[in-house]
Amino acid sequence: AGGTGGGMGGGGEPAAPEEPRKLMVSDLHPHIAADDLKEVFSPFGELTSVEMQPNAGGAEGALGTAYITFQRPSDARDAQAAIHGLELAGRNITVSFMAELPAALSAIAAGGMGSALAGVLGGVPGLGLGAHLMMGGGGAGVEDNIGAERAALLARIGSAAPSPYVLLKNMFDPAGKDETSDPDFFGDLREDIMEECGKFGKVEAAKVDRASQGHVLLQFDSTGSATKAASSMHSRWFAGKQITAEFTDEAAFASAPSA
């Protein structure tokens, strides 16, 4: 009898709330489909579901909403940090966390009261149901551009698996005048890059590979920070050269020589 008392009593620590695995993606172009979202979100981790919410009342041109559920909460965090505010098919999408609704409320929402429920619960912290609908014109040819827009977005976050490690290419010319004559060049470059990329999150370490074609490797505090940096730095121009940014991994960072 004594062995069961602890489980029933109130003295134990309450269970920690489960981390959210579900994201609400709003302000989507009306022509965006579930497959488009899978291509954007799946690089961050395994998805368990992608649900498209029909436009309220079937309004022509109304911006859409979708619900993305990841297998792991950490992947959902990285995706939210990286993709929120990015442009997809000409729209800056909104990505927010969403707590799972109790079964009873889910049934109400499924029964056609989703819009009313969103209005009632939109201000409740953590529920993420304050999706706002905006009217936007479809425009001729927009559907044809979605593939190109998606490809551009994926290029900005890189084609390799997202990680806290980013490789910047074409940051310097190893045979350049300053590179070969200024003893402080590489140290100054490293500091400048860490300062610039620090705008996207904490840079834990940076390496400048002098013998490469302008390679600089960065280690961030999280995949989300790394993704923001890669998205922003990719295709930028620096000292007359166009930068490319892509993800790399811990082994490549550890083995890279440092200036």
Side-chain angles (χ1 to χ4, degrees):
T4 61
M8 298 297 294
E13 290 291 330
E18 184 178 352
E19 291 188 72
R21 298 181 298 114
K22 191 170 188 176
L23 301 174
M24 182 178 74
V25 186
S26 55
D27 299 337
L28 289 168
H29 190 281
H31 293 166
I32 288 291
D35 286 344
D36 300 318
L37 295 177
K38 287 178 183 177
E39 289 193 38
V40 173
F41 284 85
S42 60
F44 292 89
E46 183 179 352
L47 304 178
T48 59
S49 68
V50 177
E51 308 166 54
M52 302 297 297
Q53 179 73 26
N55 290 334
E60 182 67 26
L63 300 189
T65 301
Y67 303 102
I68 312 287
T69 305
F70 282 87
Q71 180 69 33
R72 299 191 307 173
S74 59
D75 295 336
R77 287 199 307 271
D78 290 340
Q80 191 278 334
I83 299 178
H84 173 68
L86 290 181
E87 184 177 298
L88 184 61
R91 307 286 185 183
N92 293 106
I93 62 176
T94 300
V95 183
S96 56
F97 290 106
M98 183 177 177
E100 295 287 349
L101 288 174
L105 292 182
S106 295
I108 293 174
M113 296 181 63
S115 298
L117 189 63
V120 172
L121 299 180
V124 180
L127 287 180
L129 290 175
H132 52 284
L133 292 177
M134 299 171 59
M135 299 302 293
V142 171
E143 188 169 6
D144 295 336
N145 291 333
I146 289 176
E149 294 278 2
R150 183 175 67 248
L153 174 60
L154 292 174
R156 288 200 298 272
I157 66 173
S159 57
S163 77
Y165 300 91
V166 172
L167 170 61
L168 302 179
K169 297 180 178 179
N170 213 26
M171 292 299 302
F172 59 89
D173 178 0
K177 180 180 178 181
D178 291 337
E179 287 87 335
T180 56
S181 62
D182 183 355
D184 298 324
F185 176 84
F186 290 104
D188 292 342
L189 176 66
R190 177 179 176 276
E191 290 181 8
D192 290 345
I193 293 174
M194 289 188 70
E195 180 179 355
E196 178 65 22
C197 290
K199 298 174 182 178
F200 311 106
K202 184 179 179 182
V203 181
E204 301 282 4
K207 291 184 174 183
V208 179
D209 185 354
R210 296 191 188 195
S212 68
Q213 294 300 310
H215 293 186
V216 177
L217 295 93
L218 301 167
Q219 177 187 356
F220 287 86
D221 62 337
S222 68
T223 300
S225 297
T227 305
K228 290 178 182 178
S231 173
S232 178
M233 298 297 289
H234 186 70
S235 297
R236 268 203 206 182
W237 288 86
F238 177 74
K241 296 177 289 293
Q242 191 170 28
I243 304 168
T244 61
E246 62 189 50
F247 290 110
T248 186
D249 55 31
E250 183 178 6
F253 183 87
S255 63
S258 180

